[in-house]
Amino acid sequence: MNGFERRKEQKKKNILEASLALFKEYGIQKVSIAEIAQKANVSQVTIYNYFESKDNLVQHVFKYYVDLVWEEQKALFDLDLPFKEKIKRMMFEKSDLADEIGEKFFQDFMLDYSNGKSYVEELYIKEGLPRLIELFNVGKEQGHIDQSISNEAMLLYLQMFKEFMQRKDIAQTLLPLTEDLTKLFFYGIVGEKDR
């Protein structure tokens, strides 16, 4: 990559980071291209040259955000830890990215997710599901997941959960319950005695 291409990519990244920061704080609708340009230290024309429209920029920001979150999740999947410790870290170690998300941005993000054709859906099918199956199999091998529960049943459960999350009316309810839902998924309603 030559110097021009590097500068171009850095400007795009600056625009995405500025957009994400503003969207997370104020929500997408309340942020203008002028505000993004000012925060990214670029002209509005540059933003339109790279992203064509605010709607297209929003889609790129969603993808950028999902990629950041997924990188954090992959790092957790890749930790060389016993199954139970890995699950605890996945459940209880809040990521900075998740902590910083505002309710309005979350609602906008979930609205995009609810269309069923989002980047989240694509990444989930392509990379997330295989990693979860791998994790479930390790849990079964180590005796932490009941071996009589098939991967197909777990995948169906995940699919039902995913479809519920894609409902347009669920975003406001979901954000404050994410930790509880994660515990419920991994430990069921009885819970685990020796957490």
Side-chain angles (χ1 to χ4, degrees), residues 42-186:
V42 298
S43 71
Q44 292 180 56
V45 172
T46 299
I47 293 174
Y48 285 112
N49 283 339
Y50 290 159
F51 298 101
E52 299 172 9
S53 67
K54 184 176 177 185
D55 288 340
N56 196 35
L57 172 60
V58 167
Q59 290 306 307
H60 278 84
V61 170
F62 284 157
K63 183 181 182 306
Y64 179 72
Y65 177 72
V66 168
D67 285 342
L68 291 173
V69 171
W70 180 237
E71 285 305 314
E72 283 187 350
Q73 289 301 306
K74 282 196 301 190
L76 286 172
F77 274 110
D78 293 338
L79 287 174
D80 186 23
L81 293 172
F83 177 81
K84 287 174 79 171
E85 183 60 32
K86 190 178 286 192
I87 292 299
K88 283 181 186 176
R89 288 183 87 173
M90 288 176 152
M91 286 174 40
F92 301 114
E93 281 186 12
K94 294 242 180 190
S95 94
D96 292 339
L97 291 166
D99 275 347
E100 296 167 1
I101 192 169
E103 186 175 330
K104 185 62 184 133
F105 179 74
F106 182 74
Q107 289 172 358
D108 292 334
F109 182 81
M110 291 304 292
L111 183 62
D112 179 71
Y113 179 56
S114 71
N115 76 28
K117 299 174 196 147
S118 73
Y119 178 68
V120 172
E121 179 77 8
E122 179 185 320
L123 189 65
Y124 171 72
I125 290 168
K126 184 176 157 189
E127 294 187 42
L129 278 177
R131 296 300 295 264
L132 282 169
I133 298 269
E134 187 180 303
L135 183 65
F136 293 155
N137 288 335
V138 168
K140 284 180 180 182
E141 287 169 16
Q142 294 180 5
H144 301 293
I145 294 179
D146 184 341
Q147 292 197 10
S148 69
I149 300 173
S150 69
N151 284 347
E152 291 77 17
M154 285 188 272
L155 289 175
L156 179 61
Y157 186 81
L158 284 172
Q159 182 67 24
M160 289 185 307
F161 188 74
K162 181 184 75 66
E163 286 174 9
F164 178 74
M165 287 176 48
Q166 287 179 310
R167 287 183 28 197
K168 288 182 177 23
D169 61 338
I170 199 62
Q172 287 182 334
T173 308
L174 196 60
L175 186 57
L177 298 175
T178 44
E179 190 171 318
D180 286 348
L181 291 169
T182 304
K183 287 180 194 174
L184 188 59
F185 174 77
F186 283 106

Side-chain angles (χ1 to χ4, degrees), residues 6-23:
R6 265 195 308 275
R7 285 189 301 277
K8 181 179 176 183
E9 289 306 309
Q10 186 58 51
K11 277 186 185 180
K12 280 179 146 179
K13 185 178 179 189
N14 291 347
I15 293 166
L16 292 171
E17 288 175 348
S19 300
L20 180 59
L22 290 168
F23 293 165

